[in-house]
Amino acid sequence: MQVRFWGTRGSMAKPGPDTIRYGGNTSCVQVTSAAGTLLIIDCGTGAHGLGQMLMKEGPKPTRGHVLISHTHWDHIQGIPFFAPFFIPGNKWDFYAPKGFGESLRETLAGQMEYTYFPITPEAFGAELNYNNLSEGVFRIDDVVIRTRYLNHPALTIAFRIEVDGAVVVYACDHEPHSREAADGISPLDGQDLAHAEFLRDADLVIHDAQYLASEYAGKIGWGHSTVEYSLQVCKTAGVKQLAITHHDPLRNDDAIDTMIDGLRSSLGPDSPLHVFAAAEGMILDYRGDRVSLAEGDEALMDQAVGKREAIVLLVTQDEALRGKMKQAVSDEPVLLKAIEDVANIGDGATTAGLVLIDGDLASGAVAAATTLRAMPDMESVPILFLGGTAPELGNFGENTEWLRAPFSVEYARSRIRTWTMRGAFRWLRASMPENETERMQALRALNLVESSGDEQFNRYTRIAAALFKVPYALVSIVDDDRQWFKAKYGTEIEQTPRDVSFCAHAIHHPDVMVVNDALTDSRFGDNPTVVGPPNVRFYAGTPLMLPSGHAIGTLCILDDRPREFSTEDRERLADLGGLLERELAAIAA
C-alpha cells in the first residue's frame, strides 16, 4: 500500500515561510492499496490538494472511502473544499465514530450551515453514504480495518489498516491515560498498555505528538500526546516506523528538526524503530507477507446507536461531583443512578453497564471497586475512577480507567461515551448496496403508490401468515431512508426508518435471510423493534428481485417468539416471493 501525507498540522492550519517543509495544512492522509482501493484518513484542509490531484487524474468516476477519526473542525474542515464530492457519478463512503442520537451526516455538514458557509451539502453531486463505527473490525474491498477508541475530549477512533501484507496505524488526537506516561519514561500499564498493543508490530504508526513532555503540564486535558509518549508506546509495541504528526501550530520546521534529532539520539543508532516527522507530500510504500484475518467482518460497522438507556452507576458522597456527572450525561440516553456507598447498591443497579467511582470516596475507591467486582454479573463491568490521588487507581485491572482531576465536563462525557459505546449496544444499520443509486432508480420507475391496502399484494401477506403460522407478514419496500409496507398483515404500521429495518439487511442476501432469535443476534439485539413493540424475536425475509437484478424489498414474516425455520420453510417462502416477483416484473414492463 502507498501512504501519502496531505496535511500534518494540528488544531489549526498554519501556512507560512517557517512551515514549508513539514506543511501547514491540517490532518489528511491518503492510503491506496495495490488493488486501487482509495482511503482518505481525516479530511482537514489538506484534503483540498488531494481533491485537486484526483480531479487531474481524469474524468472517470472516483470511488473512495473517508475515515474520520473524530469530528473536530481540524479533521473535517476540508470536506466543503474536496472537489470530487461535487462530481456526479462519483461515489464516496464516510466512516466515523458516532455518539448518542447524532446524525453523522448532520454532524459533518454542521460547518456548512449558511451562517458559516455559502453552500450546503445539497450541492454535492456525488453519491455520499454515511457509516457509523465503534470498536471492532470491518472490511473495505481488499482492506481490513480495525478500530479502537482513543483518549480525547470527543469520541475518537484509531484505525489499524491491514492490506498488501503490511500494517499501518493512524492514531491521532490521543492523550496518555496516565499523566505520568507523558514523560516517555514511566512504565506503561492499564489503558496505555492496551493502546500500545493496538499498535503491535505495525510497519508504520502515524501518531499524534503535538507536545513535548516539558509542555504537557500546561496542556493536560487537551487530548493530545507528547512526542516522548508516542515514542515509548511504539517501542513497547515493536513498531518498525513512527511518523509523528498533528504538529503544534507554534512548532516551525526548525523546531521539528531539532525534536526529531533528539528522539533519534535517545533511540541510538542500532534501534529497530525509525522515527521521523510526517511532512506534506511525503510518499511511503509498504508491502509484506502478513495475512490479515478479519473474523467478524463488518460486525461493528454501520452501528446505529439505539435509544435504550444505558445504566451508569455513580458512587460518591460529593454533591459537586454528582452535579458534574449529571451535566456530563444530560444529553445522553443514560440513566444515572447515584449512591453514596456500594452497601446501598440495590439489586437494580447491578445491571449497570458502567460504574463511576469517586476517587476520593471516604470508604476507599479501590475497596468499593473490589466489592463491586465480586458481585454477581459485575466481574467485568467497566469502572471509571473520577479524581483521587491513590496510584493504585490507575492500575486496578482490565476494563478500568482513571480520570485524573482536574477534568472538564466534556472530557468526562467523552470517557462515559467511550465505555458505554464499547459494550452496551447490539444494533447494526445495514450498509448501502453497491448499486444503491441504480436500485433506487429501478424502484422509482415502478411508480408504486406509497400506501398499503392493495389487494394484489395483501393476499401474499395473508397466505404467508397462514402458511407459517406467524402473527405478522409484510411486503416491505426499502426506500431511501425508510421502509414502507406495500402490504401488511397483523399490524397497522405504515412504515419505519430504514435504520431499524431487518429488510434492509435482507436485500443484501440472494436467498432467504433468517434470524431465529433477534434478541441474541449482534445485529439486532438492541434494535427498538426488538426491545420494544412489536418485540420481534423471529424474522425471515426473501428478497424481491426485479428482472434488472435489483432487490427493492422483501416478502417477510415475523414472530414475537424465537423459532426454527427449516430448509423446506425457506423454499416455500422463496417460492411465494417468486410469485410476487412475477407481478412486480409485469409492473416494471
Side-chain angles (χ1 to χ4, degrees), residues 74-113:
D74 54 327
H75 295 259
I76 64 171
Q77 60 197 161
I79 290 175
F81 303 96
F82 189 71
F85 290 160
F86 293 86
I87 307 302
N90 286 358
K91 183 175 181 180
W92 290 85
D93 278 273
F94 284 96
Y95 305 80
K98 178 183 177 182
F100 296 112
E102 302 158 348
S103 163
L104 175 56
R105 181 186 183 280
E106 291 174 358
T107 300
L108 294 177
Q111 63 180 330
M112 296 177 69
E113 292 179 3

Side-chain angles (χ1 to χ4, degrees), residues 228-245:
E228 292 86 353
Y229 172 82
S230 301
L231 190 68
Q232 185 185 27
V233 292
C234 287
K235 285 167 53 180
T236 301
V239 170
K240 295 178 182 177
Q241 294 185 352
L242 165 62
I244 63 169
T245 191

Side-chain angles (χ1 to χ4, degrees), residues 15 44 112 193 198 215 233 255 293 300 406 504 528 558 565 568:
M112 296 177 69
L193 192 58
F198 185 74
E215 301 166 338
V233 292
L293 300 176
L300 292 178
L558 304 93
F565 207 60
E568 187 179 56

Side-chain angles (χ1 to χ4, degrees), residues 5 9 29 65 67 85-86 88 117 137 141 167 190 244 262 268 289 325 333 343 363 400 425 467 480 483 539 553:
F5 294 94
R9 191 65 50 176
V29 177
H65 308 268
L67 310 179
F85 290 160
F86 293 86
F117 204 72
V137 56
D141 298 333
V167 175
I244 63 169
D289 54 7
M325 291 304 100
S363 57
T400 304
F425 297 99
L467 179 62
D480 186 24
Q483 68 170 349
Y539 170 91

Side-chain angles (χ1 to χ4, degrees), residues 259-393:
M259 180 175 62
I260 292 297
D261 289 342
L263 291 176
R264 289 174 177 170
S265 295
S266 70
L267 287 171
D270 298 325
S271 173
L273 174 62
H274 174 60
V275 60
F276 58 93
E280 284 184 32
M282 181 181 288
I283 300 176
L284 306 168
D285 290 291
Y286 297 92
R287 179 178 291 275
D289 54 7
R290 289 192 256 194
V291 177
S292 294
L293 300 176
E295 300 88 348
D297 282 0
E298 300 186 342
L300 292 178
M301 188 179 75
D302 295 319
Q303 180 164 345
V305 180
K307 295 182 179 179
R308 190 187 72 172
E309 287 185 319
I311 297 176
V312 175
L313 179 66
L314 171 64
V315 185
T316 185
Q317 298 163 357
D318 187 328
E319 188 63 34
L321 182 61
R322 188 178 295 115
K324 192 172 186 177
M325 291 304 100
K326 286 181 179 179
Q327 186 180 354
V329 303
S330 60
D331 295 327
E332 314 291 290
V334 166
L335 178 61
L336 186 69
K337 292 186 176 182
I339 60 174
E340 293 189 356
D341 192 270
V342 292
N344 310 120
I345 188 171
D347 294 336
T350 58
T351 60
L354 173 65
V355 178
L356 313 176
I357 299 180
D358 184 351
D360 290 318
L361 195 68
S363 57
V366 172
T370 303
T371 301
L372 277 168
R373 285 277 172 84
M375 294 180 178
D377 301 321
M378 299 287 281
E379 61 273 6
S380 61
V381 65
I383 294 175
L384 178 61
F385 293 110
L386 304 172
T389 56
E392 57 266 30
L393 296 176

